[in-house]
Amino acid sequence: MTKHNNMPENPEPFWRELIDLPSFSKLKDSLKVDVGIVGGGITGITTAYLLAKENINVALLDSNVILNGTTGHTTAKVTAQHGLIYDEFISHFGLEKTQLYYQANMDAKKFIKQTIDQYNLKCDYKEENAFLYTNSDDYLLKLEHEQKAYDKVKIPHETKTNIPLDIPIKSALVMPNQGQFHPLKYLKQLVDESVSNGVQFYENTAAIDVEYNKHPTIITRDGYRVTCRYVIEASHYPFYDGQGFYPTRLKPERSYIIGIKTDKSYPGGMYINAESPTRSIRSTPIDDENLWLIAGENHRTGQGKSTIDHYVALQNFAEKQFGVKDFIYRWSAQDLTTLDKLPYIGPVTKGQDSVLVATGYRKWGMTNGTIAAQILADSILEKENPYKNLYTPARFQGDPSVKKFAQFNTNVAKSLIKGKLDDTKENINNLDIDEATITRVNGERTGVYKDKNAELHLVDTTCTHLRCEVAWNSGERTWDCPCHGSRFSYTGEVIEGPAKEPLEKRSLND
Ligand SMILES: Cc1cc2nc3c(=O)[nH]c(=O)nc-3n(C[C@H](O)[C@H](O)[C@H](O)COP(=O)(O)OP(=O)(O)OC[C@H]3O[C@@H](n4cnc5c(N)ncnc54)[C@H](O)[C@@H]3O)c2cc1C
């Protein structure tokens, strides 16, 4: 691929380097366990850890390797400061529920810290102040409303017009003593503990369905059956919908992270702006220095400009504000947002209490994923949990949900129609190395990618989930679906659900 201003050639997250994670074999037989967990990110692993401590017999399946989903590609701030949200939550849910949300996230932070202390874990955990800032006149009033919401919810805070980081701001809202860590060093410990307590992990084992007889049974792509008392869908996007209509209730959004060194010393703190485009900043130790992580540039998956441009925008921002000495990492990932911005945690639908789901963390899954694990483990262990009702997927909040539902579906419908009518008539012979196009091949709409060896890879661009048209993601070299966020490699393999089947391969001779 062409190098863009010293940009690292391949997207690789810092967290997965320099860490020795255990690996596990594929599932090669059918199984019976108490709980079958699908997904080895923060949600699935924390749930497995909690259940195994209580002598519950657990199997965890991951379609890839564990900790290579969104959890392996996060920014890993452990905080209850989730952008501009508390004012909005008070108006949608009322003060009591908003206080519960804050409390739930602070409890999750406390659980993470206690677990770190319990195992004397070296996972670069550090308490930092969290700054929500704006440099836009238009956002000053919004930040003021958020500050008033902090007052109502009784969130300790300060307002500032100067912050330690040398960037222009007009105002900032500070939530003191929040946290940050190396998420995979932390979760590796939970995996090791879970293995010691008998959890069976299986990698490269995709779950494709749930079948109900007396007990729910997970069906894997290879045709094996995992029969359990409970199924936990910790697969980020629920792999089994159970007629809960999740595709209409979840919005996938990508964002980008760069890891750089600068000549400046990092002043401490975790930062995020209120306006668009998002700029989220923290640091993490690397070789006795600081790696500055700069994240942002959110957009709906499969929509918007060439994805490599988002990395360039972050690089330009870093260059202008701090000066880039070394551009070491770049990676991107997506997270899901629910209709009312509160995660869905609980039974997949009202009638299916033995299939539990946890999703929709809106890029705040370190705390929300930990809360999810506690809620789900407690409901299996038949323990009370103060946050269970708040997060239940069965809730219905008329006002914001209905409006967004309409907007969302209009957007999805456009992707279906636009995709079907477009015909770029791009000539394959004109493709550069590491470039892709969508064109007609033998009358069929086809995605064509030319790799570094000039080999062409042709796929049908119709997403195998609900038949929207995928778009090329140049930054990651993937085909991404704008409707529900499924992603496919350039050879068509599923990288990320909800799609379960690969894109159909095409050839010039079809
Ligand atoms: C750029 C970015 C920055 C972020 N920064 C922060 C932050 O600073 N703080 C914060 O709190 N949150 C942050 N988040 C959000 C947080 O990272 C996520 O919400 C969280 O990691 C989601 O965890 P998970 O366990 O639900 O999903 P994942 O980590 O994605 O795990 C799901 C697993 O399920 C597996 N899987 C999927 N389908 C199947 C199937 N059919 N069968 C078997 N396995 C399957 C996948 O392979 C994957 O391993 C950020 C998100 C993004 C995108």
Side-chain angles (χ1 to χ4, degrees):
M1 158 172 188
T2 349
K3 277 209 162 188
H4 293 261
N5 311 322
N6 305 322
M7 190 178 290
E9 180 162 334
N10 290 314
E12 301 287 351
F14 166 69
W15 312 122
R16 289 191 59 84
E17 292 213 346
L18 317 170
I19 185 163
D20 202 8
L21 290 169
S23 63
F24 301 97
S25 60
K26 257 179 133 159
L27 180 68
K28 295 196 186 101
D29 213 344
S30 291
L31 279 182
K32 274 194 183 153
V33 284
D34 292 327
V35 179
I37 299 178
V38 176
I42 191 167
T43 309
I45 288 171
T46 313
T47 314
Y49 163 78
L50 290 172
L51 290 172
K53 276 211 309 189
E54 302 292 328
N55 297 319
I56 304 287
N57 185 8
V58 177
L60 185 150
L61 320 180
D62 199 294
S63 51
N64 192 276
V65 293
I66 59 165
L67 296 172
N68 198 23
T70 309
T71 305
H73 294 75
T74 181
T75 321
K77 296 177 178 173
V78 182
T79 176
Q81 190 180 63
H82 296 174
L84 289 173
I85 198 66
Y86 289 99
D87 182 48
E88 184 176 333
F89 274 6
I90 290 174
S91 58
H92 291 165
F93 302 109
L95 183 57
E96 204 179 312
K97 285 187 175 165
T98 307
Q99 278 167 331
L100 267 183
Y101 181 82
Y102 169 68
Q103 206 48 56
N105 282 279
M106 289 305 283
D107 277 1
K109 175 185 166 276
K110 193 163 146 199
F111 170 89
I112 290 172
K113 176 73 171 65
Q114 281 171 347
T115 309
I116 290 167
D117 290 345
Q118 182 186 344
Y119 298 110
N120 198 14
L121 254 176
K122 305 275 175 285
C123 64
D124 306 324
Y125 181 84
K126 206 170 165 204
E127 299 256 310
E128 292 278 12
N129 291 340
F131 296 83
L132 173 63
Y133 70 90
T134 184
N135 193 34
S136 150
D137 286 329
D138 294 346
Y139 275 75
L140 280 174
L141 192 60
K142 292 185 184 174
L143 208 60
E144 216 176 282
H145 288 157
E146 190 70 0
Q147 188 260 324
K148 285 187 181 138
Y150 278 28
D151 272 339
K152 288 184 195 154
V153 180
K154 299 199 169 39
I155 300 175
H157 67 275
E158 283 181 75
T159 45
K160 299 260 184 202
T161 46
N162 274 309
I163 57 175
L165 194 67
D166 188 13
I167 45 176
I169 71 149
K170 294 192 192 297
S171 180
L173 191 52
V174 192
M175 204 185 270
N177 307 324
Q178 300 301 296
Q180 62 176 41
F181 65 171
H182 186 306
L184 270 48
K185 286 186 184 170
Y186 166 79
L187 287 162
K188 177 181 187 298
Q189 180 76 24
L190 300 201
V191 172
D192 292 345
E193 291 299 320
S194 303
V195 170
S196 310
N197 288 328
V199 175
Q200 305 171 58
F201 283 83
Y202 298 98
E203 293 182 325
N204 300 305
T205 303
I208 55 164
D209 206 357
V210 172
E211 228 178 69
Y212 267 99
N213 292 310
K214 193 171 162 209
H215 295 294
T217 299
I218 302 167
I219 312 295
T220 72
R221 170 157 300 133
D222 294 341
Y224 297 114
R225 303 169 69 81
V226 180
T227 305
C228 11
R229 285 196 297 126
Y230 291 95
V231 173
I232 291 185
E233 298 198 65
S235 49
H236 198 229
Y237 205 108
F239 75 96
Y240 166 74
D241 190 58
Q243 300 208 315
F245 301 106
Y246 286 88
T248 60
R249 299 163 73 196
L250 286 169
K251 182 175 81 165
E253 238 188 32
R254 288 200 79 70
S255 35
Y256 299 77
I257 302 183
I258 63 171
I260 59 153
K261 286 185 184 173
T262 87
D263 284 325
K264 292 197 173 177
S265 61
Y266 194 81
M270 305 186 297
Y271 304 86
I272 191 163
N273 62 347
E275 59 269 33
S276 284
T278 305
R279 297 288 178 256
S280 167
I281 304 164
R282 63 162 284 193
S283 78
T284 191
I286 180 172
D287 316 325
D288 296 327
E289 284 186 71
N290 276 312
L291 182 69
W292 294 47
L293 300 183
I294 299 164
E297 293 283 311
N298 311 346
H299 66 86
R300 183 77 188 266
T301 302
Q303 294 186 358
K305 56 186 176 185
S306 162
T307 54
I308 207 82
D309 293 349
H310 295 288
Y311 290 111
V312 174
L314 290 178
Q315 183 185 12
N316 290 343
F317 169 80
E319 188 61 67
K320 182 170 170 210
Q321 301 302 338
F322 317 116
V324 177
K325 186 171 75 177
D326 219 348
F327 188 171
I328 317 177
Y329 293 96
R330 70 172 177 100
W331 70 88
S332 81
Q334 68 199 38
D335 212 8
L336 300 156
T337 301
T338 67
L339 293 175
D340 58 17
K341 300 191 182 167
L342 251 186
Y344 299 134
I345 304 168
V348 65
T349 59
K350 266 187 183 159
Q352 298 180 77
D353 287 348
S354 47
V355 181
L356 304 166
V357 73
T359 189
Y361 303 151
R362 202 178 65 91
K363 303 207 178 82
W364 300 107
M366 297 298 103
T367 48
N368 276 314
T370 304
I371 296 160
Q374 290 173 317
I375 294 176
L376 301 185
D378 283 349
S379 69
I380 290 171
L381 297 165
E382 296 181 5
K383 288 187 192 164
E384 284 299 311
N385 186 297
Y387 308 120
K388 186 174 162 177
N389 292 338
L390 176 72
Y391 286 101
T392 177
R395 68 179 179 270
F396 178 71
Q397 294 293 330
D399 174 49
S401 302
V402 169
K403 258 198 236 147
K404 297 233 168 81
F405 183 89
Q407 279 168 4
F408 175 87
N409 276 321
T410 311
N411 210 350
V412 165
K414 271 188 205 150
S415 294
L416 278 161
I417 297 159
K418 179 174 162 279
K420 290 291 178 202
L421 295 180
D422 267 7
D423 180 358
T424 58
K425 294 219 169 73
E426 206 73 35
N427 190 332
I428 294 174
N429 293 334
N430 289 341
L431 270 183
D432 278 340
I433 293 285
D434 200 24
E435 211 180 40
T437 188
I438 297 177
T439 186
R440 300 243 170 222
V441 172
N442 303 321
E444 305 273 10
R445 202 166 190 276
T446 304
V448 186
Y449 168 67
K450 190 182 215 175
D451 73 16
K452 283 180 197 158
N453 305 318
E455 193 182 332
L456 295 176
H457 302 269
L458 280 68
V459 291
D460 180 342
T461 51
T462 309
C463 179
T464 54
H465 176 227
L466 292 178
R467 313 209 64 74
C468 294
E469 293 295 336
V470 296
W472 179 242
N473 171 342
S474 57
E476 286 9 76
R477 303 179 183 100
T478 55
W479 294 105
D480 295 358
C481 179
C483 292
H484 307 108
S486 295
R487 297 180 56 237
F488 304 86
S489 68
Y490 58 76
T491 51
E493 305 308 319
V494 178
I495 296 180
E496 207 157 344
K500 291 167 191 160
E501 300 302 326
L503 296 177
E504 201 177 303
K505 286 192 202 306
R506 287 263 167 80
S507 99
L508 288 174
N509 310 319
D510 277 352

